[in-house]
């Protein structure tokens, strides 16, 4: 069981561009530039969430965590197993664990944590375990499809621009 690799669809790329827009909006109000959204099996957006670490004064208020907490209150586990979580960046260890715990069946992300570290020259202000989400998900008993990182260069630059501007 654990993470299984999937291939991105045109819809996946479109939805990742939306996570980049969410990240930009999140940065504009002073938060870290991370965005996430949840879709049903048909790709209909159910929830959107930006990172609120700064404005909520909560170091655990990552976009994915906040979204998954809301989703677990709103939807049954069986339904969440048919859903996809989209994240502008690869989920950290905490967010990957939350994905597993809420039973979301699919993850699609833009850039990896390692790509981000290279973009910002390993800036020490960026908290990171350097532990890929697939490794976290591989320890679970449930199959979760993982799609990412995405190789669309324009999307990668779109996501990166907010991070370079934020982290320096």
């Amino acid at each position: 069981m654990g993470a299984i690799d999937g291939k991105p669809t045109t819809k996946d790329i479109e939805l990742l561009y939306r996570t980049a827009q969410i990240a930009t909006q999140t940065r504009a109000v002073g938060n870290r530039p991370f965005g996430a959204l949840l879709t049903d099996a048909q790709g209909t957006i159910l929830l959107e969430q930006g990172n609120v670490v700064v404005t909520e004064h909560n170091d655990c208020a990552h976009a994915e965590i906040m979204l998954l907490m809301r989703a677990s209150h709103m939807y049954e586990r069986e339904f969440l197993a048919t859903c996809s979580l989209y994240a502008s960046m690869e989920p950290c260890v905490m967010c990957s664990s939350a994905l597993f715990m809420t039973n979301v069946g699919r993850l699609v992300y833009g850039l990896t944590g390692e790509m981000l570290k290279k973009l910002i020259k390993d800036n020490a202000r960026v908290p990171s375990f350097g532990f890929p989400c697939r490794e976290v998900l591989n320890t679970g008993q449930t199959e979760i499809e993982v799609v990412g990182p995405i190789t669309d260069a324009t999307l990668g630059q779109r996501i990166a621009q907010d991070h370079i501007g934020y982290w320096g």
Side-chain angles (χ1 to χ4, degrees), residues 46 67 85 90 97 107 114 131 133 155 163:
L46 304 172
L67 183 141
L85 172 70
E90 178 180 23
S97 298
L107 167 64
E114 286 303 309
F131 201 72
C133 66
L155 175 60
H163 287 278

Side-chain angles (χ1 to χ4, degrees), residues 18-19 22-23 25-26 31 34-38 45 47-53 56 61-70 85-88:
R18 177 64 193 137
T19 67
I22 296 165
Q25 294 165 352
T26 296
N31 284 297
F34 295 91
L37 62 85
L38 183 74
I45 297 174
L47 297 170
E48 295 183 341
Q49 181 69 53
N51 179 292
V52 291
V53 165
E56 296 290 325
H62 294 193
E64 300 92 335
I65 289 285
M66 302 306 288
L67 183 141
L68 291 166
M69 286 176 34
R70 289 171 50 210
L85 172 70
Y86 290 81
S88 57

